[in-house]
Amino acid sequence: MPPEPETAAEHFARTGRDAVTYARQVSRTAKARYERRRGENAELAKQFGKGRLAGGETAPTPKALRDAAKRFRAGIGLPVPALPSATELVPLRPEPAARRPRVGDDDEDFSQSRIMTRGE
């Protein structure tokens, strides 16, 4: 037997309230987690400074990283490819073609009077 109309309406309202309550709880939890992580990140930034690692040393440069990668690859017997030079990475642009000078206005006259009278 189907539920009474009032019971169905009450059930619908209760389900809606439960959904809103759950959404608020999830939102509060997410905001609290965000604030906690934000505080932790601010503390780490104060402690180590920008661009510094946990050991106090500065972040490695790209050259230092490349050298470390070369040593690692050579140490385990992998080939170490040579990096291309800057001129090989960026091709030269061709010179722009010179534009032909305009001969005169007679070549490209698109005025209304000339178009209308051409057939006559």
Side-chain angles (χ1 to χ4, degrees):
M1 182 164 204
E4 297 292 324
E6 297 164 348
T7 307
E10 289 171 1
H11 176 72
F12 180 75
R14 184 173 46 79
T15 303
R17 284 192 304 272
D18 290 347
V20 169
T21 302
Y22 177 75
R24 286 180 180 159
Q25 288 173 348
V26 169
S27 176
R28 273 195 302 270
T29 303
K31 284 180 184 177
R33 185 178 301 145
Y34 167 76
E35 289 299 326
R36 187 177 70 245
R37 297 273 161 80
R38 185 175 174 195
E40 290 172 1
N41 287 343
E43 183 61 34
L44 288 172
K46 284 181 193 175
Q47 186 177 359
F48 297 113
K50 188 175 183 180
R52 301 193 66 80
L53 302 176
E57 68 270 5
T58 59
T61 62
K63 181 176 178 0
L65 291 174
R66 279 194 300 272
D67 292 343
K70 284 180 187 177
R71 286 192 306 273
F72 174 78
R73 290 179 69 85
I76 60 173
L78 293 174
V80 180
L83 290 175
S85 67
T87 55
E88 292 173 341
L89 290 174
V90 181
L92 297 175
R93 289 187 178 184
E95 291 294 323
R99 291 188 176 182
R100 196 177 61 141
R102 291 185 67 180
V103 180
D105 289 337
D106 293 337
D107 293 343
E108 297 179 13
D109 185 11
F110 294 107
S111 62
Q112 181 107 16
S113 62
R114 182 157 180 176
I115 294 171
M116 298 297 281
T117 59
R118 186 175 292 241
E120 295 178 9

